[in-house]
Amino acid sequence: MSLTNCRFYEDKYPEVDSYVMVNVKQIAEMGAYVKLLEYDNIDGMILLSELSRRRIRSIQKLIRIGRNEVVIVLRVDKEKGYIDLSKRRVSPEDVIKCEERYNKSKAVHSIMRHVAEATQTPLETLYQQIAWPLNRKYGHSHDAFKLSITNPDVWKDTEFHSEAVKNELQLYISKKLTPHPTKVRADVEVTCFGYDGIDAVKTALRTAEADNTPENQIKTLGIQMLGAAIERIAANIKAAGGNCSIKMAPKAVTEHDDAVLAELMEKRERENQEVSGDEDSESGDDE
């Protein structure tokens, strides 16, 4: 048994009419030769007639070597190892469902492979003892892994190969699947050109902090609260003769979004500095 290679699921072959993720390896006159990524890269074939509903003028425009594709299983000959597949019978909804399942299975496979290598345990042994039983019980072992972070009872019926496997698995699941904090952000522009404009803007912005407590740091509630806070800012600044305009409505953001925003703000700041410099040089020339 290998430490790194194993099929994702208990059955060695996919069922007829099931959707699977494949990687295109070769294009020939009869169709496309592929590897079934979820079944330890066993061979399959998408027949030419099953590539598209339309008349095929160029196979290369329909399918490319190296690309992953969602296909449906038409026939499985376990004795000869033939698996016939179809791309043309797959709907956009089928693609989404298959991609979601594949991504979850790939995440589980990454965790299982790490544990196998860290504890020198055959990968298929870990699947037999852990992932496949959890698939039967919870629908997908990925859901069970996430649940186990807060509910250790997930493991009560699991027979671990060793204590080292149990400890490494739980530690790595906690590291990989623990949800990261979600930020909620909105962009608003508050202006007030009255005599006490600066104080009015400060006062208006402080109203947004009224309900900002640790108990309220939940994404959906946070978005609602941020929307209400903006309404208070707008009402407060308008009462002082100012204005508040929403540049971006409240939404949940990731670390990547924050990085993009920071880069954009730095770019704007550089542009403003360049404009200011140009204006100074122009005024100097006029003088």
Side-chain angles (χ1 to χ4, degrees):
M1 289 187 183
S2 171
L3 293 181
T4 56
N5 297 326
C6 181
R7 63 191 183 277
F8 291 179
Y9 312 121
E10 196 164 4
D11 294 331
K12 291 185 177 181
Y13 295 92
E15 295 289 331
V16 172
D17 292 333
S18 65
Y19 297 92
V20 294
M21 185 70 73
V22 301
N23 183 263
V24 182
K25 293 299 180 183
Q26 183 183 349
I27 297 174
E29 292 183 4
M30 293 180 60
Y33 293 96
V34 301
K35 297 285 188 180
L36 278 68
L37 298 177
E38 299 158 284
Y39 292 87
D40 201 17
N41 291 319
I42 57 176
D43 295 323
M45 185 173 200
I46 308 173
L47 298 174
L48 189 63
S49 60
E50 294 296 335
L51 279 173
S52 174
R53 295 178 183 273
R54 300 177 182 179
R55 182 179 177 183
I56 300 174
R57 294 183 179 180
S58 173
I59 296 179
Q60 281 72 19
K61 290 184 178 180
L62 292 172
I63 196 163
R64 294 182 182 178
I65 294 174
R67 180 180 291 178
N68 289 355
E69 299 281 356
V70 174
V71 295
I72 188 171
V73 179
L74 299 180
R75 288 172 290 275
V76 177
D77 188 331
K78 297 180 182 179
E79 292 183 2
K80 296 181 179 180
Y82 294 158
I83 301 177
D84 292 333
L85 309 158
S86 173
K87 174 176 162 62
R88 74 180 182 91
R89 307 187 193 198
V90 178
S91 70
E93 293 78 13
D94 298 327
V95 171
I96 293 173
K97 291 179 181 178
C98 184
E99 286 180 343
E100 288 178 348
R101 187 201 67 230
Y102 173 69
N103 288 332
K104 289 167 71 172
S105 299
K106 189 168 64 170
V108 168
H109 192 71
S110 175
I111 292 171
M112 299 293 281
R113 189 167 59 183
H114 167 84
V115 175
E117 292 175 341
T119 63
Q120 293 298 294
T121 306
L123 185 56
E124 187 169 339
T125 298
L126 296 183
Y127 266 104
Q128 289 171 345
Q129 294 179 345
I130 301 168
W132 294 339
L134 290 176
N135 281 345
R136 293 194 297 268
K137 187 174 182 180
Y138 291 92
H140 202 293
S141 51
H142 188 271
D143 298 331
F145 282 4
K146 290 181 70 175
L147 181 61
S148 72
I149 296 172
T150 55
N151 184 5
D153 288 345
V154 168
W155 306 118
K156 66 180 181 180
D157 296 325
T158 303
E159 296 181 6
F160 290 100
H161 183 72
S162 66
E163 193 67 21
V165 166
K166 179 180 179 181
N167 293 337
E168 187 65 32
L169 177 64
Q170 293 178 342
L171 180 65
Y172 202 63
I173 285 175
S174 179
K175 178 181 177 182
K176 299 294 288 187
L177 299 183
T178 298
H180 297 290
T182 301
K183 295 181 180 180
V184 178
R185 190 184 79 213
D187 296 343
V188 298
E189 183 179 77
V190 181
T191 57
C192 183
F193 301 103
Y195 180 76
D196 295 323
I198 294 177
D199 291 335
V201 169
K202 289 181 179 179
T203 301
L205 293 176
R206 288 194 185 103
T207 64
E209 300 177 354
D211 295 327
N212 187 22
T213 62
E215 291 77 15
N216 291 330
Q217 305 304 311
I218 303 173
K219 183 171 73 173
T220 304
L221 180 59
I223 292 174
Q224 294 174 349
M225 289 177 58
L226 190 52
I230 292 172
E231 291 178 3
R232 291 198 299 273
I233 291 172
N236 193 288
I237 197 66
K238 286 178 181 178
N243 185 54
C244 174
S245 60
I246 300 175
K247 301 299 183 181
M248 184 186 77
K251 68 174 186 177
V253 296
T254 63
E255 292 180 359
H256 173 72
D257 296 327
D258 277 346
V260 171
L261 177 63
E263 184 178 346
L264 179 61
M265 292 177 69
E266 288 178 6
K267 180 181 178 182
R268 292 280 174 82
E269 187 175 351
R270 288 195 301 269
E271 290 174 350
N272 290 337
Q273 289 174 350
E274 290 172 2
V275 170
S276 298
D278 292 342
E279 291 173 351
D280 290 342
S281 61
E282 289 174 3
S283 61
D285 291 340
D286 292 340
E287 290 175 0

